[in-house]
Amino acid sequence: MLYPAIHSFCHELNQHFDEIPEDRKTILQQISAYILGQQQTGKPIQLMYVCTHNSRRSHFGQIWAAVAARFYGIEQVETFSGGTEATAFNPNAIAVLRRIGFEVETTDKGHNPSYKVKFGSEEATHCFSKVYDHPSNPSTHFAAIMTCSDAEENCPFIPGVALRIGTTYDDPKEFDNTPLQDAKYDERCRQIALETCYVFASVTSHS
């Protein structure tokens, strides 16, 4: 069961899909079609979100896809993230998740810590920064969702993908250590959550 704050957040987002431009919805519906196709053939649904440093937007994608799958009752969904280089899950990105109601626990410390991001009593996903072809990520039959333009341009070939699609987002990193920092992280996290919920809601409407 989702934590009440997370459930309420998703329920609220479900009322605001009209904020998404129609051309953007057309792109997002390709992810929905991949999920629906996997669902209809009984195959695992593997979604990997890719951004250069795997530190902010790609983790938001991994986390919100896991949440949306649970919220909309889509089974056999596995979510992942990666980058063209490994850095660390950014503290500002972790902070916005905690503001929303996630519980984030450090499971392995160091320069690139691992985290357990909990969104329900028995619901969680594990996050740490890694390259997209890290052994913990899928190598075949997955959708690669590019969340930043740099990764989209500099990662021209990802082997094993069933779908590669660009859903790029502005980087909240640009506002680090400014008065707008928290507001911009909140904004970007909500945008990714909104669009990810739209993807899964579209699946349920066609199931």
Side-chain angles (χ1 to χ4, degrees), residues 155-198:
C155 192
F157 176 70
I158 298 179
V161 295
L163 170 71
R164 176 194 166 123
I165 190 165
T167 61
T168 59
Y169 300 94
D170 291 340
D171 193 352
K173 178 182 179 180
E174 297 176 8
F175 298 91
D176 283 0
N177 303 311
T178 74
L180 292 175
Q181 174 183 286
D182 288 355
K184 289 298 182 179
Y185 273 83
D186 289 349
E187 177 184 304
R188 194 60 56 242
C189 187
R190 182 187 179 278
Q191 181 190 9
I192 293 173
L194 177 69
E195 295 194 351
T196 306
C197 281
Y198 174 80

Side-chain angles (χ1 to χ4, degrees), residues 1-73:
M1 181 179 295
L2 295 177
Y3 291 142
I6 306 297
H7 187 278
S8 295
F9 195 86
C10 292
H11 180 74
E12 176 67 18
L13 292 174
N14 203 57
Q15 316 304 312
H16 291 276
F17 292 150
D18 58 344
E19 295 178 14
I20 305 172
E22 290 302 316
D23 58 344
R24 187 76 172 178
K25 287 181 178 178
T26 299
I27 295 171
L28 297 171
Q29 285 164 4
Q30 295 179 55
I31 306 172
S32 303
Y34 162 79
I35 295 171
L36 191 60
Q38 295 296 99
Q39 189 180 55
Q40 290 173 342
T41 57
K43 297 178 181 177
I45 299 158
Q46 300 184 117
L47 305 173
M48 182 166 68
Y49 293 81
V50 181
C51 196
T52 304
H53 299 118
N54 190 207
S55 59
R56 297 170 176 81
R57 291 162 288 178
S58 48
H59 279 118
F60 287 157
Q62 173 188 341
I63 293 162
W64 282 115
V67 171
R70 182 69 180 85
F71 182 77
Y72 292 100

